[in-house]
Amino acid sequence: MSLIRQLSTAAADFQTEFERLRHWSAETDAAIEGRVAEILADVRQRGDAAVLDYTARFDRLTVDGMAALEITQADLQEALAAIPAAQREALQAAAKRVRAYHERQLEASGRSWSYRDEDGTLLGQKVTPLDRVGIYVPGGKAAYPSSVLMNAIPAHVAGVQEIIMVVPTPDGVRNPLVLAAAAVAGVHRAFTIGGAQAVAALAYGTATIPRVDKITGPGNAYVASAKKHVFGQVGIDMIAGPSEILVIADGTTPPDWVAMDLFSQAEHDELAQSILLSPDASFLAAVHASMERLLPTLPREAIVRASLQGRGALIHTRSMEEACEISNSIAPEHLEISAAEPARWEPLLRHAGAIFMGAYTSESLGDYCAGPNHVLPTASTARFSSPLGVYDFQKRSSLIEVSEQGAQVLGGIASTLAHGEGLQAHARAAELRLK
Amino acid sequence: MSLIRQLSTAAADFQTEFERLRHWSAETDAAIEGRVAEILADVRQRGDAAVLDYTARFDRLTVDGMAALEITQADLQEALAAIPAAQREALQAAAKRVRAYHERQLEASGRSWSYRDEDGTLLGQKVTPLDRVGIYVPGGKAAYPSSVLMNAIPAHVAGVQEIIMVVPTPDGVRNPLVLAAAAVAGVHRAFTIGGAQAVAALAYGTATIPRVDKITGPGNAYVASAKKHVFGQVGIDMIAGPSEILVIADGTTPPDWVAMDLFSQAEHDELAQSILLSPDASFLAAVHASMERLLPTLPREAIVRASLQGRGALIHTRSMEEACEISNSIAPEHLEISAAEPARWEPLLRHAGAIFMGAYTSESLGDYCAGPNHVLPTASTARFSSPLGVYDFQKRSSLIEVSEQGAQVLGGIASTLAHGEGLQAHARAAELRLK
C-alpha cells in the first residue's frame, strides 16, 4: 500500500476522492453521551464524594480526601526547580513570547471604549475579565505542557483572578513538565482530576473545587461530551477534533522540511490529517521520496503511517490559486504557505486557524513558542471560530447613558417601534422620558 | 396575593429567598431533545422534502415547492414601502444608530493587526468576516422587527457577504414590519421556515437553502435545542433564556419611570424577571404604589402580573454598594443604574449584558435604537459572554512569518519542548531550520 494517497485536481474523480478525504464525523457516541450525563448528574448532586469515587475508578487513584487531590503551589514550584535547566529555560522563553503576543492582542482589541453622540448620549463597551476559569489539561500519554502555557497565559493577560487547572494523573503519576509549566504560566490552583467528573466539578462547583465561569482545554471524547453538555451553565472553548495541517507549496522549500512538517501533524494521532497542495508535480514527488526516506527514522512511525494512509494526501493542483481555493474549502487548523512569496498568497486565504508563512515557519515553531496560541479551530470550524485568545477570557458589557436631550429623539423612535411590536410598556417607558 | 415579593438583605431568610428567586433551570426537556434530533436527522437526509413536510405540519403552510417559501427582495421592498411612514422612518432611524454603533465596534476591536519582533519575525492576527450566516427570527405572536435589525446589521458591518433570514409564518401570515426590517437591514435572502427544521436547513444546507457558517437569533425551546445540537457543525450565538432586568436605584428617579421599566421586561413573558434594588425603603414603597396604579392600564397586564409574582422582587439593600454586589452575583441581562451619579457605581458592576446609566436611559431605548445590540446574555451567562456584536460575525487567523534569524532562536526552544513531550517529528521540523 502507498504511504499516502496522491490526487490531482485534473483527475475526473478528484471531487469524489476529495470528499472522501475530508470526511470526518464530529458526532459523539450515544453511549458515551449517556455515561457522561450520569457522571455530570452524580457530581452535581454528590459533589466531592462523586469526584473521589470516579477518580478512584477511572484513574486508579484512591485517596482519603479532596486535599490529597490538590497540587499545591509548592508542588508546582518544586517541579519547576527539579526539571533540567534546558527545559526550564525553554518553558520560560516560550512563556515570555506567548505572553508578549497576547499582550499585543489585549492592546489591539481587548480594551473598553466609549464615545458621545451629538446629543451627548454616551455609548460604549466595557471589557472585563472573567472572574474564574478552569483549564483542562490531558494527562497520561498525551500530556502537553505547552498546552498549559497556551491556555493559562491568555487568561492571565486578560486579568482573570483565579485560574484553576485540572489534570488527571492515572495511577497517581504526575508529569513534572506539566506541573512546571503551570508554575511558569501562573496557574492559581491545580487538582489531579480528569474526565467528565473534572468538567462537572468545575461547571457546578463542589465543596472543594470552586465553580468556574469558563472551561477551556482539550480532552478525550468524555471530556468533549461533558463540555458540550455544560455549555450554557459555563462558557467553553471549541470542541476539538483531530489536528490538521495543510501545506501549500510552490516548490521552493527543501522537500525534507515539508515532509517533516507533514509528519509533525501526523504524529499526534492516527486521525490527524496532513495534506500537501502544490502545482509542482516534481516537488510533490520529491516530498514523497523524502517521506519514504525519513519515516523509518521516526520513533512514532506507526502512528504517522496510520495517519498518512488514513487521512493524508499529496494533491497536485493546476495553480497556486487553485491550491488556495481548496484550502478555503477545507478551512484547516494549521495552514503553511511554504512559498517564496507568502504575502502574495495570504490575502487569498480566508479560513484557517493559523497561517504559517514562508519556508522557515514550521508549524512546530508556532506550536511551542512563536507567540500566537496553538489552541486552534479544527474540523472546518475555522469558517466561524478563532484561535484561543485573550478575548476568550473577557466579556463585554454595553454602556448606554442617554442624555435628557437624547431621550427626546430616541423616545419617539422607540415608542413607534414598541407599539409596532405590541409591547406597550416598552413604549410608555420611553414616552415617560419625553418632555 | 402581593403584586411582587418584597425582600430585605437584612432579613434572616434573605439568602434562602434570594436563591429561590434566582432559580431558573436551563435544562431542556428530554422529549423535546429527542424530537429535535429526529427532525435534524430527517432534514439532513431528505433536505427540501423534509423542510416542506415540517412546514406543512407545524406552520400549517402547504406549498408546491421551495420557491414558494422564499421571500423575494421585491417582497421585502414592497413591505417597506407599504408600512406607515412613521414606522418606516423609525426603522430607518433605529438602523442608522445601530449601524453607527457597530461601525465603532469594528473600528475599536475588529481590525487585523501585526508587528515584527526584534528578529524580524512577523506576528499578527488577520480578521475576516464569516462567508454566510443565518438569522433566526421568531414568527407568530412574538415577532420582533427590532431583532432583525440587531442580528443583521452587525453581520453587515462585519462584511458578511450573504445574510439569510428564516422566519416561520404560521398559516402563511407574513409580518410586514419584520419584512420591512429585513429590507432596511440588508438581508440578502429570506425563507418562511422556522423551528428545528429551519435550523437544520441552515446548518446542513439543502438543495434550496445554502449551508451557513453561523446561526444567530432567538427562538422557542425547539429552536434552542436544535441550535445546541448543531453547535460545532456551525457556529451559534448563546442559547437565550427568559429576559431579565435589574434596576439599582438611589431613589432620585421618578417612581413611575422605574415601575414602567420593570413592567417593560415583565411584559415579554411570564418567565421574564424584573428586580429592583434600592437602599431607600420609601422609594421602594413609592415604586410599589406606582406599580399598583399603573399595572391595570397595561394591555399585557396578565403577563406582567404573572411575571412579577413568579419571578419579580423589590429588594431593600443596606447600601448602593451592597446592591452592586447582589447585581454581580446575578449577572443580569439588562442592568439599569437609575441614580444621580451612575458613573460612581458603574465601576463596581462586573457582570451585565448591557448597563443603562441614569434616569433617562430606559431599557426600552436600548432595546430599539440607542445603538448597542439588544441580543444580550441571559441567565447569568453575562459572567462569561457578551452582547451580540460585529465580533460574532468575524473570525481571526493567527499570522506567523518566522525570519531565518528567528528560526535559529525559536528552533532551539521548540526542539527542547517537543522532545519533552515525546513529539520527535515536531522537534526535527524545528531542527531542520537550524543552520
Side-chain angles (χ1 to χ4, degrees):
Chain A
M1 195 190 276
S2 165
L3 176 63
I4 185 169
R5 68 173 65 64
Q6 297 176 51
L7 307 177
S8 166
T9 58
D13 64 350
F14 174 71
Q15 209 52 41
T16 313
E17 289 295 317
F18 181 63
E19 287 306 319
R20 190 171 300 159
L21 179 71
R22 291 196 56 195
H23 181 76
W24 177 77
S25 171
E27 298 295 321
T28 40
D29 192 294
I32 289 181
E33 287 197 356
R35 193 73 198 93
V36 164
E38 283 170 29
I39 295 171
L40 295 175
D42 194 22
V43 173
R44 190 170 201 171
Q45 203 186 339
R46 293 199 300 132
D48 284 342
V51 171
L52 288 167
D53 283 355
Y54 291 115
T55 303
R57 194 187 320 172
F58 297 136
D59 294 334
R60 301 166 301 280
L61 175 59
T62 305
V63 294
D64 288 338
M66 288 298 289
L69 296 182
E70 182 153 8
I71 308 175
T72 65
Q73 284 296 325
D75 294 338
L76 300 182
Q77 293 301 331
E78 250 173 56
L80 181 61
I83 60 173
Q87 287 189 338
R88 184 166 50 248
E89 284 155 21
L91 275 179
Q92 284 163 338
K96 188 179 168 193
R97 289 191 62 96
V98 173
R99 195 172 295 120
Y101 177 83
H102 288 84
E103 281 167 357
R104 290 276 187 151
Q105 196 173 58
L106 178 68
E107 288 309 319
S109 60
R111 297 294 190 186
S112 301
W113 52 269
S114 66
Y115 65 100
R116 286 191 188 272
D117 70 12
E118 61 279 11
D119 289 327
T121 290
L122 177 138
L123 300 165
Q125 196 166 267
K126 167 170 162 161
V127 184
T128 44
L130 274 57
D131 283 352
R132 188 191 288 134
V133 303
I135 290 174
Y136 191 96
V137 177
K141 279 175 293 181
Y144 296 140
S146 56
S147 288
V148 178
L149 303 184
M150 293 295 183
N151 279 274
I153 290 174
H156 233 286
V157 171
V160 174
Q161 289 301 301
E162 199 171 359
I163 301 168
I164 299 181
M165 179 176 91
V166 294
V167 54
T169 54
D171 301 306
V173 179
R174 297 179 177 188
N175 181 316
L177 260 182
V178 164
L179 270 53
V184 169
V187 163
H188 298 101
R189 293 184 75 182
F191 295 92
T192 57
I193 60 174
Q197 61 274 20
V199 173
L202 292 170
Y204 305 129
T206 71
T208 306
I209 297 166
R211 185 185 78 151
V212 302
D213 299 305
K214 187 165 188 168
I215 302 172
T216 69
N220 63 18
Y222 286 86
V223 173
S225 171
K227 281 172 65 182
K228 193 165 176 180
H229 196 99
V230 299
F231 167 57
Q233 178 82 29
V234 293
I236 62 168
D237 60 347
M238 261 287 142
I239 305 293
S243 199
E244 314 144 3
I245 190 172
L246 184 145
V247 182
I248 297 175
D250 67 357
T252 59
T253 309
D256 279 6
W257 297 16
V258 172
M260 198 57 79
D261 291 355
L262 296 171
F263 290 161
S264 74
Q265 206 57 33
E267 76 175 337
H268 273 296
D269 71 76
E270 289 85 348
L271 288 174
Q273 182 160 59
S274 302
I275 294 175
L276 169 62
L277 302 170
S278 179
D280 182 340
S282 64
F283 181 72
L284 289 169
V287 172
H288 192 255
S290 289
M291 291 174 87
E292 292 200 310
R293 179 170 44 79
L294 293 170
L295 181 52
T297 70
L298 291 181
R300 295 168 75 89
E301 178 187 355
I303 294 173
V304 172
R305 198 175 284 279
S307 160
L308 294 177
Q309 273 183 6
R311 304 197 67 223
L314 309 181
I315 304 179
H316 183 221
T317 60
R318 293 180 184 88
S319 63
M320 285 292 281
E321 286 82 358
E322 188 186 47
C324 292
E325 278 168 41
I326 291 174
S327 176
N328 284 331
S329 76
I330 290 179
E333 181 190 14
H334 303 98
L335 168 53
E336 282 189 12
I337 315 176
S338 212
E341 298 174 283
R344 180 173 163 198
W345 310 113
E346 181 274 309
L348 303 186
L349 296 160
R350 293 201 315 280
H351 314 298
I355 303 177
F356 301 79
M357 298 166 68
Y360 281 96
T361 314
S362 73
E363 186 232 298
S364 65
L365 298 181
D367 278 349
Y368 290 107
C369 56
N373 212 288
H374 81 193
V375 181
L376 299 169
T378 58
S380 275
T381 61
R383 291 184 294 122
F384 55 84
S385 56
S386 303
L388 192 69
V390 168
Y391 36 79
D392 285 298
F393 298 102
Q394 298 178 312
K395 72 281 199 295
R396 309 164 184 97
S397 304
S398 303
L399 291 178
I400 313 176
E401 183 175 21
V402 178
S403 66
E404 185 177 339
Q405 194 182 333
Q408 309 312 307
V409 177
L410 298 182
I413 303 170
S415 166
T416 300
L417 293 175
H419 281 299
E421 293 185 352
L423 296 175
Q424 295 85 0
H426 280 69
R428 287 175 60 186
E431 290 157 9
L432 284 173
R433 271 81 175 181
L434 297 177
K435 294 263 152 188
Chain B
M1 194 191 273
S2 165
L3 177 64
I4 185 168
R5 66 173 67 64
Q6 298 174 50
L7 307 177
S8 166
T9 57
D13 64 348
F14 174 72
Q15 209 50 43
T16 313
E17 289 295 316
F18 181 65
E19 287 306 320
R20 192 170 299 161
L21 178 72
R22 291 196 56 195
H23 182 75
W24 178 76
S25 171
E27 296 295 321
T28 40
D29 191 292
I32 290 181
E33 286 197 355
R35 193 73 197 93
V36 163
E38 282 171 28
I39 295 170
L40 295 174
D42 193 21
V43 173
R44 189 169 202 171
Q45 202 185 340
R46 294 200 300 134
D48 285 341
V51 172
L52 288 167
D53 284 354
Y54 290 116
T55 302
R57 194 187 321 173
F58 297 135
D59 294 334
R60 300 167 302 281
L61 176 58
T62 304
V63 294
D64 288 339
M66 288 298 288
L69 296 183
E70 181 151 9
I71 308 175
T72 64
Q73 283 296 325
D75 294 336
L76 300 182
Q77 293 301 331
E78 252 173 57
L80 181 61
I83 59 172
Q87 287 189 338
R88 184 167 52 248
E89 283 155 22
L91 275 179
Q92 284 164 339
K96 188 179 168 193
R97 290 191 61 97
V98 172
R99 196 173 293 118
Y101 178 83
H102 288 84
E103 280 167 358
R104 290 276 187 149
Q105 195 173 58
L106 177 68
E107 287 310 318
S109 60
R111 298 293 190 188
S112 301
W113 51 269
S114 67
Y115 64 100
R116 285 190 189 273
D117 71 11
E118 61 279 10
D119 289 327
T121 289
L122 176 137
L123 301 165
Q125 195 166 271
K126 166 171 161 159
V127 183
T128 44
L130 274 58
D131 282 352
R132 188 191 289 134
V133 303
I135 290 174
Y136 191 96
V137 177
K141 281 175 293 182
Y144 296 140
S146 56
S147 287
V148 178
L149 303 185
M150 294 295 182
N151 279 273
I153 291 174
H156 234 286
V157 171
V160 173
Q161 289 301 302
E162 199 172 359
I163 302 169
I164 299 181
M165 180 175 90
V166 293
V167 55
T169 54
D171 300 305
V173 180
R174 296 179 177 187
N175 181 315
L177 262 182
V178 164
L179 270 53
V184 169
V187 162
H188 298 100
R189 293 183 75 183
F191 296 92
T192 57
I193 59 174
Q197 60 274 20
V199 174
L202 292 170
Y204 306 129
T206 71
T208 305
I209 298 166
R211 184 184 79 150
V212 303
D213 299 306
K214 187 165 188 166
I215 302 171
T216 69
N220 63 19
Y222 286 84
V223 172
S225 171
K227 280 171 65 182
K228 193 165 175 179
H229 195 101
V230 299
F231 168 59
Q233 178 83 27
V234 292
I236 61 168
D237 60 347
M238 260 287 140
I239 304 295
S243 199
E244 314 143 3
I245 190 171
L246 184 145
V247 181
I248 297 175
D250 67 357
T252 59
T253 309
D256 279 7
W257 297 16
V258 173
M260 199 56 80
D261 290 356
L262 296 171
F263 290 161
S264 74
Q265 205 57 33
E267 76 174 339
H268 274 295
D269 72 75
E270 289 85 349
L271 288 173
Q273 182 160 59
S274 301
I275 294 175
L276 169 62
L277 302 170
S278 179
D280 182 341
S282 63
F283 181 73
L284 290 169
V287 172
H288 192 255
S290 289
M291 292 173 87
E292 291 200 311
R293 181 169 43 81
L294 293 170
L295 181 53
T297 71
L298 291 180
R300 295 168 75 89
E301 178 188 354
I303 294 173
V304 173
R305 199 175 283 280
S307 162
L308 295 177
Q309 272 183 7
R311 303 196 67 220
L314 308 182
I315 304 179
H316 184 220
T317 60
R318 293 183 184 85
S319 62
M320 286 291 281
E321 286 81 359
E322 189 187 45
C324 292
E325 278 168 39
I326 291 175
S327 176
N328 283 331
S329 77
I330 290 178
E333 181 190 15
H334 303 97
L335 169 53
E336 281 188 13
I337 315 176
S338 211
E341 297 174 285
R344 181 173 163 197
W345 310 115
E346 182 274 310
L348 303 185
L349 295 160
R350 293 201 313 281
H351 312 299
I355 303 177
F356 301 78
M357 298 167 68
Y360 281 96
T361 314
S362 73
E363 186 232 298
S364 65
L365 298 182
D367 278 350
Y368 290 107
C369 55
N373 212 288
H374 81 193
V375 181
L376 298 168
T378 58
S380 276
T381 60
R383 291 184 293 123
F384 54 84
S385 56
S386 303
L388 192 70
V390 168
Y391 36 79
D392 285 297
F393 299 101
Q394 298 178 314
K395 70 281 197 297
R396 309 165 183 95
S397 304
S398 303
L399 291 178
I400 312 175
E401 183 175 23
V402 178
S403 67
E404 185 176 340
Q405 195 183 331
Q408 310 312 306
V409 177
L410 298 182
I413 303 170
S415 166
T416 300
L417 292 175
H419 281 299
E421 293 184 352
L423 296 175
Q424 295 86 0
H426 280 69
R428 287 175 61 185
E431 291 158 8
L432 284 173
R433 269 82 173 181
L434 298 176
K435 294 262 151 186

